[in-house]
Amino acid sequence: MKRPWKIMTGLILVIGIVGILVVVSGVIPVKASSGHWEITKWFLNFTKERSVATHSTGIKVPDLDDQALIVKGAGHYEAGCRMCHGKPDGMRPRMVSLMTPQPPNLKNIVPEREPQELFYVVKHGIKMTGMPAWPELKRDDEIWPVVAFLLKYPELDFNEYDELVWGKHQKQSGQSIDSAEGTSLPVPHLVIEVCAGCHGVDGQGRGLGVFPRLAGQNEAYLLVSLEAYHQDKRMSGTMEELASRMHQQEIEEVSRYYSRLKPFLSNESQGRDKTNNRDAQEEDASFERGAQIAAEGIAGQDVPACADCHPATRKPFKNAYPALMGQYQAYLELQIRLFQNRSRGGSQSANLMHAAVDGLKPDQIRDVSFYYSELPER
Ligand code: HEC
Ligand code: HEC
Ligand code: HEC
């Protein structure tokens, strides 16, 4: 009775030892140049698909059918994914086709995946394949726009892709623009090639509320913000990736450039959520409540007057503090929530904001953000 067991155990032991010897001898090729065997490919793919399906169960998918989200995701795709996965015309650097496994054309993959599976892969990456994780695991709010974009990707042609990423922007060198003082300002190369897609050459952020306005913002604040992204101290998967490629000199140049542009324009292009159906009367009341929070704070909730640091004038309290006037309401709301969740980070002064906004309730965040976004107009 015991014999078969002995033989089995012996056999397993021998297979194990031979396996170890094969690995130790170094004969198994790890070269990417020959690709995987079909059986290995099948096994790895099957493992990946099962793992992703299991781990993405229970992830709640938000409403993704929103143009602003899709544009935000498209911008990130261009900056952080296109170099491996290519554009709708299939173009990608030759180097990428030499990877094993190759980054797939996502037009073929997306229809086979659920949104929560895409979210899981984009957030965590895939081990031993070159597919990277999202740079900031606390910023799920940045990953969903990429999923929203991916869901549209299979139906996009080349021109529609470019329109989403660049809007009306033409990548022509030698452009210039009027500064706030009316002089002609040459547009830095980096702005034309990189920043303009999301923030615009004019620094107005494309009117959607997902990219902040930079025009007329305090130079010192732009500078410390870019440095904070560069040093991983302000958490944003998109901006950290871009700032990590910038030299100090470029950071200084673009900060000077955007700060000298005509400040935030009117609220025409606030891209405000039209579905909230607030009538004029409600908006006036919201503005007044916001104005009161900004001017006096909220005594019972430990909220100080915002205007101490963010005055209702263009002149900042301190140079490295941001002006909020005319900034998009949606952007301000998002940043306040990030401060509350400790998932924003920022410059050395950023922790001043934690104490300032921790006590704010959601409707108060909306009111005070609405107030600052409307301020130049009223
Ligand atoms: C350095 C190259 C590289 C970059 C950058 C990259 N990927 Fe990938 N990606 C890969 C590789 C390689 C695979 C194939 C993995 C595999 O077959 O298991 C992959 C696979 C995927 C998949 C398919 C996973 C599946 O379910 O089979 C998705 C979706 C994806 N990437 C999305 C993205 C997005 C979105 C970005 C940008 C945020 C991105 N990737 C950035 C290399 C990259
Ligand atoms: C792919 C879109 C995209 C591109 C390209 C881009 N940005 Fe941004 N930028 C964003 C987003 C989104 C945010 C908000 C990030 C956050 O939540 O912290 C942001 C934030 C910023 C901020 C902080 C603003 C504030 O009020 O705190 C600065 C400064 C900035 N970007 C400068 C630049 C510069 C300079 C470039 C060009 C080198 C650039 N960005 C390129 C999307 C982009
Ligand atoms: C003691 C000074 C101080 C007070 C009071 C203060 N803030 Fe701030 N706030 C700052 C600083 C400093 C920053 C920039 C942090 C950084 O550099 O990363 C900031 C950043 C912000 C931002 C992000 C802006 C951007 O462009 O990303 C928002 C939104 C904001 N504050 C709203 C408020 C509101 C609303 C209040 C009142 C409830 C308030 N702040 C009170 C100092 C203050």
Side-chain angles (χ1 to χ4, degrees), residues 32-50 97 99-104 109 113 126 128-129:
S33 56
S34 53
H36 280 310
W37 292 328
E38 279 309 314
I39 174 92
T40 324
K41 207 192 285 175
W42 176 86
F43 178 74
L44 291 175
N45 251 329
F46 183 70
T47 312
K48 170 186 70 184
E49 284 179 21
R50 289 307 310 137
S97 65
M99 289 170 72
T100 299
Q102 287 187 22
I109 294 278
R113 301 281 185 267
I126 305 175
M128 298 193 56
T129 68

Side-chain angles (χ1 to χ4, degrees), residues 72 75-76 79 139 142 190 194-195 198-199 210-214 217 221-222 225-226 229 234-236 238-239 242 246 254 258 327 331 334-335 338 344:
K72 187 174 183 180
H76 185 92
R139 290 294 307 267
E142 289 190 315
L190 190 65
V194 181
C195 325
C198 300
H199 297 288
V210 288
F211 306 125
R213 297 181 198 267
L214 305 179
Q217 183 56 278
Y221 172 71
L222 293 176
S225 299
L226 286 169
Y229 287 128
R234 181 163 166 189
M235 300 169 217
S236 160
T238 306
M239 278 308 299
L242 291 161
M246 293 169 75
V254 292
Y258 275 124
Q327 187 56 278
Y331 173 75
L334 171 65
Q335 297 300 309
L338 294 174
R344 168 166 143 143

Side-chain angles (χ1 to χ4, degrees), residues 285-312 324 336 340 353 355-372:
S286 172
F287 182 84
E288 290 310 324
R289 287 193 300 269
Q292 181 152 8
I293 297 173
E296 297 166 22
I298 310 170
Q301 292 170 221
D302 269 345
V303 175
C306 319
D308 287 353
C309 298
H310 306 289
L324 306 182
I336 294 172
Q340 285 187 333
M353 271 298 292
V357 297
D358 274 354
L360 286 175
K361 301 194 173 126
D363 52 333
Q364 294 165 335
I365 293 178
R366 190 198 55 199
D367 292 341
V368 75
S369 301
F370 179 61
Y371 161 75
Y372 274 112

Side-chain angles (χ1 to χ4, degrees), residues 52-106:
V52 171
T54 301
H55 285 95
S56 61
T57 325
I59 296 177
K60 239 183 108 221
V61 181
D63 179 14
L64 297 174
D65 198 17
D66 173 353
Q67 189 63 10
L69 282 190
I70 295 166
V71 169
K72 187 174 183 180
H76 185 92
Y77 183 90
E78 171 71 14
C81 321
R82 201 244 311 149
M83 77 276 259
C84 283
H85 290 288
K87 283 194 187 190
D89 60 1
M91 286 270 284
R92 52 182 195 172
R94 165 139 171 75
M95 184 186 62
V96 169
S97 65
L98 305 174
M99 289 170 72
T100 299
Q102 287 187 22
N105 182 343
L106 296 179

